Amino acid sequence: MLKRLSLLTLSSALPVIVLLCTSSGLPVPGQTKTGSATDKVILTVDVSKPGARIDRNLFGQFAEHLGHGIYEGIWVGPESKIPNTRGIRNDVVAALKDLKVPNVRWPGGCFADEYHWRKGIGPQRLVTLNSNWGGVVEPNTFGTHEFMDFLDQIGAEAYLSVNVGSGTPQEAAEWLEYLTTPQATSLAKERTANGHPAPYKIAYLGIGNESWDCGGNMTPDYYVSQLKIYSRFVRNFNPAQQGQQQMLKIAVGPGGPEPRFSEWTEAVMKAWQNHQWSWDMNGLSLHTYTVLNWDKKLASVGFGETEYSQVLKATLVMDGLIAKHSAIMDKYDPQKKIALVVDEWGGWYAPLPGTDPGFLVQQNSMRDAVLAALNLNIFARHADRVRMSNIAQMINVLQAMIMTDKEKMVLTPTYYVYKMYVPFQDATFVPVVFNAGSYVNGDISLPRVDAIAAKDATGKLWLAITNLDPNRSVEIDANLGGASGKSAVGETLTAPKVDSVNTFDDPRTVVPRPVSASVQDGKLTLKLDPKSVSVISVQ
Ligand code: AHR
């Protein structure tokens, strides 16, 4: 099991939010939850200075062969009584389609560095062991073709992680030839015999996973030499991917704030800066989880405001981490050609009692909805460098979108945040400045409000505003900076308690409800509930 340092002890830095306007909501030292029930936050949108495109890939997912992430979560098999299409559950596909999932990272995670693709193709699958996650049997019934079929059903692109840890460049190269060549090679004929004559599109290729740890405990220099070899030889032959649509290669990047990860980023970026024609990369991954203590993880349910504020404080470390690694990347890549790809992140809590600890099963609460919104906002603010992210993990594992139990399925609070944020996919970031105010709980002080704005392809202005304070509602006065509109409509997600969850028996405790607000003289006024995430558009 992975072991990392506590984020809380590593950084107590809070994100800096530009203080432009003053209002009655100015941060007051010592302001407490017993303060006035509602006071104002003034927010100013500057539509005249559009920022970077918020890449749709920022809303990517991660599905590892881990616990019930794949088996039961996606794959039930064609013979199952659970309604399915070629073995893939229909309820899950329908729910994911609503999220417009841009890409799915697969097959791991740590699992990827022990995955041998040939065991998961053809009529006879080899039964192996999943030694990373519970030591359970891996039937390999969900393999390459099933993954690509799943992507096709939900309308997402493939982000394949190839095995650098225990595989070979040849094995990975053959996998890509099998997947992508239109020529009548033996591998292409095998693919045709297995039901797919046309070459597949593989949009993203991850070269290893956490190679500094579960992926082989490599030094930065050793990894760089592997990266060059895999980048050179693992080719995509799909004719449609030779130009604009070329497969993007993502190198293993840092895993947190420790100095060794700065050295890692330096080493990979320096190598790239000096790279020859024979190899290249397009992205650098970043993994970081919100966890207070790896040895004594917090519970995912049955917690109170203390743990709520502790977790939110810990998650805001993401901003500084991205800034730190972006600054290193800027030294070697000032034009920001290389994307920072946050392809593992999310809240990691103690396993639910009675579950296999190797399956990483946890509940998903209102706290996770706020956590998700805060991180998505951070990614959007760094959209010029952060162009892809993959929350861990899509179904039944860690901070999941969906949980299943046999034929039952429930959508989590995090799912609803992703659904509400769909309009931000490929929208243009619009700067928004506000007096965040403060939410204080004991010795923890957090911004009370967080917000981002963006314009979609039709020119419509969208605002996402989170009220972190679990006790006080907040009145927002938003100056729309010249954006025309008469009203604002959208959705808000809140819940009775910070640890409210959706369950199979009671799936609608944390679901969004519609909100509307008036716009007068370019100013929008609305009141947001305590501990809420809201997304609204100006019409
Ligand atoms: O998401 C669970 C695990 O966390 C992944 O397999 C690994 O890459 C990370 O450490």
Side-chain angles (χ1 to χ4, degrees):
M1 180 59 66
L2 305 162
K3 196 161 172 172
R4 297 188 180 92
L5 297 173
S6 155
L7 291 175
L8 258 190
T9 55
L10 286 162
S11 171
S12 58
L14 290 173
V16 176
I17 292 177
V18 182
L19 297 181
L20 186 77
C21 310
T22 57
S23 79
S24 57
L26 264 179
V28 179
Q31 189 175 42
T32 69
K33 60 188 179 187
T34 55
S36 70
T38 304
D39 42 11
K40 260 185 199 163
V41 164
I42 312 279
L43 192 145
T44 302
V45 176
D46 190 354
V47 284
S48 68
K49 294 199 185 73
R53 185 168 66 103
I54 301 171
D55 199 306
R56 59 196 292 267
N57 283 309
L58 281 185
F59 302 88
Q61 298 287 335
F62 171 35
E64 180 166 12
H65 286 241
L66 193 176
H68 296 303
I70 301 288
Y71 300 107
E72 298 190 25
I74 298 174
W75 181 257
V76 287
E79 312 304 331
S80 171
K81 288 198 181 94
I82 298 171
N84 69 82
T85 302
R86 295 180 293 281
I88 294 164
R89 34 191 317 165
N90 294 344
D91 52 355
V92 164
V93 166
L96 291 173
K97 273 168 113 169
D98 285 346
L99 296 189
K100 300 200 185 313
V101 176
N103 72 80
V104 182
R105 179 171 180 254
W106 177 86
C110 299
F111 180 84
D113 276 307
E114 289 187 282
Y115 185 62
H116 300 284
W117 67 274
R118 293 206 67 96
K119 297 179 180 170
I121 58 162
Q124 295 300 321
R125 305 293 168 95
L126 289 181
V127 174
T128 55
L129 284 177
N130 188 334
S131 40
N132 274 291
W133 304 115
V136 294
V137 160
E138 166 56 59
N140 284 301
T141 41
F142 188 90
T144 300
H145 289 263
E146 291 75 20
F147 174 60
M148 298 307 291
D149 188 11
F150 168 64
L151 293 184
D152 207 38
Q153 290 189 36
I154 66 168
E157 292 195 299
Y159 175 8
L160 276 193
S161 271
V162 293
N163 181 343
V164 173
S166 69
T168 62
Q170 184 178 355
E171 181 188 10
E174 287 177 358
W175 195 11
L176 265 286
E177 183 191 323
Y178 176 87
L179 281 157
T180 63
T181 186
Q183 313 265 60
T185 67
S186 300
L187 283 166
K189 286 182 188 162
E190 201 177 350
R191 184 188 70 225
T192 302
N194 288 332
H196 207 274
Y200 284 113
K201 179 181 178 195
I202 304 299
Y204 309 99
L205 188 82
I207 301 180
N209 172 75
E210 299 191 356
S211 305
W212 30 260
D213 195 353
C214 73
N217 210 254
M218 300 171 190
T219 62
D221 288 348
Y222 183 81
Y223 174 72
V224 165
S225 66
Q226 295 296 301
L227 171 65
K228 290 176 178 174
I229 293 168
Y230 277 74
S231 169
R232 168 82 181 121
F233 297 112
V234 184
R235 294 188 172 100
N236 186 315
F237 297 99
N238 188 329
Q241 291 195 262
Q242 303 311 308
Q244 295 262 311
Q245 298 278 306
Q246 69 166 292
M247 178 175 77
L248 301 181
K249 297 171 183 172
I250 296 156
V252 169
E258 296 106 285
R260 70 175 175 131
F261 291 122
S262 299
E263 286 160 26
W264 187 281
T265 301
E266 291 270 356
V268 178
M269 290 304 297
K270 193 171 178 186
W272 174 79
Q273 189 188 37
N274 298 316
H275 81 104
Q276 310 289 316
W277 65 269
S278 53
W279 76 278
D280 203 354
M281 60 183 248
N282 313 91
L284 182 76
S285 95
L286 166 69
H287 288 187
T288 187
Y289 286 94
T290 299
V291 59
L292 272 78
N293 183 343
W294 284 97
D295 295 324
K296 206 167 172 241
K297 298 190 193 76
L298 292 180
S300 56
V301 268
F303 57 87
E305 191 176 343
T306 302
E307 295 82 2
Y308 170 81
S309 53
Q310 284 175 336
V311 165
L312 296 189
K313 178 179 175 181
T315 211
L316 288 171
V317 168
M318 179 70 89
D319 187 62
L321 201 56
I322 289 175
K324 178 176 175 173
H325 290 283
S326 294
I328 300 174
M329 294 173 81
D330 284 349
K331 281 202 298 184
Y332 301 101
D333 173 29
Q335 291 176 294
K336 300 190 193 295
K337 289 184 178 166
I338 305 294
L340 187 58
V341 175
V342 189
D343 55 8
E344 283 191 32
W345 67 276
W348 190 323
Y349 309 111
L352 283 182
T355 63
D356 184 327
F359 285 10
L360 309 186
V361 181
Q362 61 190 41
Q363 250 299 0
N364 195 296
S365 67
M366 187 62 219
R367 177 176 66 185
D368 295 298
V370 174
L371 185 157
L374 294 176
N375 280 282
L376 293 174
N377 294 354
I378 291 169
F379 300 153
R381 282 193 277 267
H382 289 278
D384 56 345
R385 179 66 85 179
V386 180
R387 299 197 282 271
M388 186 154 157
S389 105
N390 302 76
I391 189 167
Q393 298 194 7
M394 191 161 62
I395 304 163
N396 291 332
V397 176
L398 298 175
Q399 190 173 345
M401 306 293 115
I402 296 174
M403 299 180 78
T404 64
D405 181 16
K406 303 190 180 64
E407 75 290 350
K408 292 187 241 168
M409 177 187 86
V410 66
L411 306 176
T412 67
T414 302
Y415 172 92
Y416 288 114
V417 170
Y418 268 69
K419 191 160 177 226
M420 290 161 67
Y421 270 67
V422 164
F424 286 88
Q425 293 195 13
D426 282 340
T428 303
F429 184 82
V430 172
V432 50
V433 288
F434 53 98
N435 164 23
S438 51
Y439 152 52
V440 180
N441 185 42
D443 58 0
I444 292 182
S445 176
L446 299 172
R448 179 179 173 200
V449 165
D450 190 32
I452 57 163
K455 266 196 166 181
D456 70 16
T458 68
K460 196 187 276 183
L461 180 69
W462 291 87
L463 280 167
I465 312 176
T466 296
N467 179 6
L468 286 74
D469 194 319
N471 305 301
R472 290 182 303 162
S473 53
V474 63
E475 251 177 51
I476 304 284
D477 267 7
N479 299 311
L480 299 177
S484 57
K486 291 198 176 63
S487 64
V489 291
E491 288 188 313
T492 192
L493 185 72
T494 187
K497 298 188 292 166
V498 286
D499 70 333
S500 293
V501 297
N502 293 333
T503 63
F504 297 113
D505 296 330
D506 197 355
R508 299 196 55 82
T509 305
V510 196
V511 294
R513 61 177 166 73
V515 277
S516 60
S518 64
V519 177
Q520 270 188 339
D521 303 326
K523 198 165 151 193
L524 176 152
T525 312
L526 86 160
K527 189 172 160 191
L528 302 177
D529 287 333
K531 52 175 166 3
S532 63
V533 178
S534 307
V535 173
I536 49 170
S537 67
V538 179
Q539 318 274 335

